[in-house]
């Protein structure tokens, strides 16, 4: 299937909006939602959902803490979904393609964060000249940088990619293609492991096993698990607050203590 | 000193919405969210210092200095900041700087663990699980949850910060520890459930010796369902703890590992 011009335009607009929404409500850039929307534009929501879901699981815990740059799973999902549908190779192929794309496109994020320094200096200039009307448009113009650093490369890849992808496809041996499909099933493991590395897993390991056993043996669906977890969390919170109020009577924290406390946390 | 503009609810709400919209649009390596903070607070500062252009300019410079926190908590800090500046004006400059610096780190830590990690994990897993069954419901739940969080969580935080002033910092910080702990427990349980739901790896290898035919996967399943997925997670967890390893390298390693083992017929 050839990609149509209107589809490229829709994908451009969506990529522009979604890469900005990542910094506002964080909805459109969630891989599973991205996959669904791109799938809809391309005419196969199911493939989009599958690729998006897998990419979403891969990036669990891989969050951009304090502005760290992470693999661009968003761009990976967009291109993976488009090419899975245009080549007719299905979702697993799209995942295998999306992952290397996500790794390659890391540079885009770095580029965007650098370009924004230029705008920042224009804002300094506006303050010095007291041209206050310039400040807000300058800050908002950062959205052009975020939007274009994602949308432009995606469209470029869509325009040149199809034929190149097909050529590469034919050149790749079957065992690699099968391997990529297996990789699509294995890779969420990395997302989960990164997440566990970030969380205090050593202390809270038993809770992980509760979730695991309830699903592995009893086949409780994920919403059921989330509700179960919520109940346990409420108990934990209550216990914590109760303990705190008991201690609070003796310790009687004063208003002046907070500054010291915060400074410790800063370290 | 006759600087007595009283901020209205509408003023504060406007600042909060501007924080939601613009806090990170100009994120950059030099000062990170500085200009986002400036963008949010700008209309309020114009009103507070309306008759003192030089003080306004100095505060604008001050507010465009290095700042980085979790976007969710920016309205809280803005509320505290505005309560102080409204009362003390330009004299409060050093207090404002100290307060922003003290709070941004703490709140970034809380925000990252609760919203990036736990929130993303819970709703991401629900959405992904439904999506793998071909259903959009999970995506809708995720989107609605995020919108509720922004409009009923993030935006009103500015009123909390503004009303409670600095006394808030103590109470909130203590409570946050328990909220974080509870959220962590919830997150752990969901992640545990995620492993057998999501990782659908199998060993297709069949051992055959004359009459004896042994399907390895059936044997594994009878020991414990989802044994292979949890072992793989443990393996990746261990790999990540090795020196010179990071998530990108582990992903590349797993790519090669999967291709190799699937070619040998040991993994599918």
């Amino acid at each position: 299937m050839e990609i149509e011009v209107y589809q490229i335009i829709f994908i451009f607009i969506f990529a522009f909006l979604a890469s900005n929404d990542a910094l506002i409500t964080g909805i459109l850039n969630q891989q599973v939602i991205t996959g669904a929307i791109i799938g809809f534009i391309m005419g196969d929501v199911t493939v989009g959902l599958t690729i998006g879901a897998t990419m979403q699981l891969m990036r669990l815990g891989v969050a951009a803490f304090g502005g760290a740059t992470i693999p661009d799973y968003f761009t990976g999902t967009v291109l993976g979904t488009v090419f899975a549908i245009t080549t007719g190779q299905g979702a697993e192929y799209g995942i295998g393609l999306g992952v290397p794309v996500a790794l390659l496109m890391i540079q885009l994020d770095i580029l965007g964060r650098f370009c924004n320094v230029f705008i920042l200096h224009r804002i300094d200039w506006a303050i010095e000249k007291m041209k206050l009307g310039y400040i807000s448009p300058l800050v908002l113009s950062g959205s052009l940088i975020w939007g274009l650093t994602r949308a432009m490369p995606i469209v470029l890849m869509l325009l040149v990619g199809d034929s190149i992808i097909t050529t590469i496809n034919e050149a790749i041996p079957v065992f690699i293609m099968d391997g990529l499909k297996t990789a699509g099933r294995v890779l969420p493991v990395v997302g989960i492991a990164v997440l566990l590395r970030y969380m205090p897993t050593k202390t809270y390991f038993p809770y992980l096993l509760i979730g695991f056993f309830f699903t592995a043996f009893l086949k409780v669906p994920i919403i059921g698990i989330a509700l179960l977890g919520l109940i346990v969390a409420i108990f934990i919170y209550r216990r914590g607050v109760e303990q705190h109020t008991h201690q609070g009577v003796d310790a009687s924290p004063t208003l002046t203590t907070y500054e010291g406390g915060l400074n410790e946390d800063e370290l | 000193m006759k600087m007595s503009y009283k901020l209205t609810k509408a003023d504060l709400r406007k600042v909060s919405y501007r924080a939601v919209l613009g806090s990170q649009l100009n994120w950059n390596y030099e000062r990170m969210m500085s200009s986002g903070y400036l963008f949010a607070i700008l209309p309020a500062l114009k009103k507070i210092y309306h008759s003192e252009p030089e003080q306004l300019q100095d505060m604008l410079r001050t507010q465009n200095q290095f700042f980085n926190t979790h976007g969710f908590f920016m309205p809280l800090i803005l509320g505290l900041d505005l309560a102080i500046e409204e009362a003390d004006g330009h004299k409060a400059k050093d207090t404002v700087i100290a307060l922003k610096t003290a709070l941004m780190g703490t709140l970034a830590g809380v925000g990252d663990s609760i919203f990036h990690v736990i929130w993303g994990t819970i709703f991401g897993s629900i959405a992904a699980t439904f999506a793998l069954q071909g259903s959009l419901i999970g995506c809708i739940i995720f989107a609605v949850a995020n919108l509720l969080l922004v409009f009923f969580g993030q935006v009103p935080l500015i009123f909390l910060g503004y009303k409670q002033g600095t006394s808030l910092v103590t109470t909130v910080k203590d409570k946050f520890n328990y909220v974080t702990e509870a959220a962590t427990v919830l997150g752990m349980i969901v992640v545990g459930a995620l492993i057998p739901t999501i990782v659908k790896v199998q060993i297709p290898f069949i051992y055959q010796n004359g009459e004896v035919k042994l399907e390895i996967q059936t044997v594994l399943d009878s020991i414990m369902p989802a044994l292979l997925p949890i072992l793989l997670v443990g393996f990746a967890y261990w790999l990540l703890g090795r020196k010179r390893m990071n998530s990108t390298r582990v992903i590349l390693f797993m790519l090669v590992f999967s291709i190799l083992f699937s070619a040998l017929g040991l993994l599918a």
Side-chain angles (χ1 to χ4, degrees):
Chain A
M1 182 192 127
E2 284 288 311
I3 187 163
E4 304 284 339
V5 175
Y6 78 89
Q7 287 171 321
I8 294 181
I9 293 169
F10 277 132
I11 291 170
F12 179 86
I13 295 169
F14 171 75
F16 188 96
L17 292 177
S19 45
N20 278 296
D21 189 43
L23 307 167
I24 300 170
T25 66
I27 293 174
L28 296 179
N29 65 306
Q30 298 295 342
Q31 289 74 23
V32 57
I33 295 172
T34 304
I37 294 172
I38 296 291
F40 176 74
I41 294 174
M42 297 304 296
D44 192 339
V45 178
T46 317
V47 168
L49 276 173
T50 312
I51 294 172
T54 310
M55 299 291 270
Q56 182 90 41
L57 295 164
M58 274 185 59
R59 61 139 285 179
L60 284 181
V62 190
F65 296 122
T69 287
I70 55 166
D72 191 348
Y73 294 109
F74 169 75
T75 306
T77 307
V78 172
L79 292 173
T81 306
V82 172
F83 288 130
I85 295 170
T86 50
T87 59
Q89 291 264 18
E92 281 170 332
Y93 168 77
I95 295 157
L97 192 96
V99 173
V101 168
L103 294 175
L104 282 173
M105 293 292 163
I106 289 178
Q107 321 303 334
L108 298 179
D109 191 55
I110 299 176
L111 180 72
R113 288 162 194 266
F114 265 120
C115 291
N116 266 328
V117 175
F118 171 75
I119 296 181
L120 177 72
H121 290 160
R122 298 300 295 168
I123 296 169
D124 282 341
W125 169 85
I127 294 174
E128 292 318 313
K129 300 276 182 229
M130 280 304 263
K131 291 184 187 294
L132 301 190
Y134 284 30
I135 295 178
S136 298
L138 278 168
V139 173
L140 293 176
S141 70
S143 64
L144 287 175
I145 291 180
W146 292 116
L148 293 178
T149 48
R150 304 307 194 283
M152 291 296 288
I154 286 176
V155 166
L156 279 177
M157 297 275 279
L158 291 181
L159 291 176
V160 300
D162 217 338
S163 55
I164 292 178
I165 296 282
T166 328
T167 326
I168 295 172
N169 252 344
E170 282 158 5
I172 294 175
V174 180
F175 81 93
I176 298 247
M177 296 297 282
D178 288 345
L180 281 177
K181 288 176 183 174
T182 307
R185 285 193 287 268
V186 173
L187 285 173
V189 163
V190 183
I192 296 171
V194 172
L195 181 64
L196 292 176
R197 274 279 162 203
Y198 180 75
M199 289 167 80
T201 301
K202 284 182 180 133
T203 319
Y204 294 98
F205 189 62
Y207 295 104
L208 180 98
L209 291 182
I210 292 179
F212 179 77
F213 289 134
F214 266 88
T215 316
F217 288 103
L218 299 175
K219 314 273 179 238
V220 178
I222 193 94
I223 298 252
I225 294 287
L227 292 174
L228 175 85
L230 195 63
I231 295 165
V232 178
I234 290 169
F235 278 118
I236 299 276
Y237 175 76
R238 280 204 190 143
R239 197 200 55 193
V241 173
E242 265 168 34
Q243 277 177 358
H244 182 256
T245 41
H246 285 306
Q247 291 164 0
V249 181
D250 308 329
S252 63
T254 53
L255 271 180
T256 45
T257 52
Y258 80 86
E259 276 178 321
L262 284 173
N263 288 336
E264 277 165 37
D265 270 23
E266 271 293 287
L267 305 171
Chain B
M1 294 297 276
K2 34 132 186 69
M3 214 150 40
S4 53
Y5 180 79
K6 185 94 182 85
L7 291 167
T8 62
K9 261 198 143 178
D11 289 334
L12 290 172
R13 185 169 289 120
K14 186 175 180 189
V15 169
S16 208
Y17 276 113
R18 284 169 75 95
V20 171
L21 174 69
S23 67
Q24 301 186 72
L25 288 182
N26 186 223
W27 200 104
N28 57 74
Y29 282 123
E30 190 179 316
R31 280 175 246 158
M32 303 196 174
M33 289 161 85
S34 74
S35 51
Y37 194 93
L38 176 73
F39 173 75
I41 205 171
L42 184 63
L45 290 189
K46 275 186 191 164
K47 285 183 172 167
I48 294 177
Y49 302 100
H50 62 97
S51 55
E52 309 279 351
E54 272 157 33
Q55 291 187 355
L56 174 61
Q57 186 177 29
D58 192 44
M59 282 317 287
L60 293 179
R61 272 192 215 116
T62 307
Q63 299 288 25
N64 196 23
Q65 296 312 310
F66 182 91
F67 185 77
N68 199 38
T69 190
H70 191 276
F72 182 81
F73 290 113
M74 198 193 255
L76 185 70
I77 303 180
L78 283 163
L80 286 164
D81 178 342
L82 284 173
I84 296 167
E85 285 198 59
E86 185 188 58
D88 296 340
H90 188 256
K91 280 179 296 180
K93 181 177 154 185
D94 291 339
T95 318
V96 168
I97 297 173
L99 189 83
K100 278 172 73 179
T101 322
L103 278 176
M104 66 181 186
T106 318
L107 293 178
V110 175
D112 282 344
S113 48
I114 294 185
F115 296 112
H116 273 319
V117 179
I118 313 285
W119 184 274
T121 303
I122 293 166
F123 288 101
S125 337
I126 291 174
T129 315
F130 276 107
L132 288 174
Q133 296 155 7
S135 164
L136 281 166
I137 292 174
C139 292
I140 295 164
I141 294 177
F142 201 166
V144 169
N146 267 19
L147 286 178
L148 291 176
L149 186 70
V150 169
F151 289 107
F152 296 98
Q154 189 177 6
V155 171
L157 270 184
I158 196 165
F159 299 112
L160 189 71
Y162 180 77
K163 271 192 207 122
Q164 308 280 316
T166 38
S167 68
L168 172 95
V169 181
T170 350
T171 30
V172 164
K173 227 176 85 67
D174 290 337
K175 281 249 167 90
F176 269 151
N177 291 336
Y178 304 117
V179 173
T180 310
E181 193 190 14
T184 306
V185 166
L186 171 55
M188 282 310 250
I189 293 177
V190 171
V191 174
L194 206 57
I195 298 169
T197 323
I198 296 311
V199 188
K200 296 282 182 202
V201 196
Q202 292 214 319
I203 299 183
F205 188 69
I206 295 169
Y207 176 81
Q208 212 157 5
N209 190 354
E211 293 290 296
V212 189
K213 198 172 144 195
L214 197 61
E215 289 179 37
I216 304 292
Q217 188 59 46
T218 323
V219 177
L220 288 181
D221 283 343
S222 63
I223 300 169
M224 189 169 90
L227 182 63
L228 190 60
I230 202 167
L231 288 179
L232 276 174
V233 170
F235 178 53
Y237 182 84
W238 175 81
L239 268 182
L240 283 165
R242 310 298 301 165
K243 272 189 186 153
R244 302 158 60 81
M245 268 295 178
N246 55 35
S247 59
T248 308
R249 287 189 186 152
V250 175
I251 286 178
L252 288 172
F253 176 87
M254 283 294 184
L255 263 175
V256 176
F257 169 90
S258 307
I259 293 172
L260 203 69
F261 275 69
S262 106
L264 293 171
L266 293 173
L267 207 64

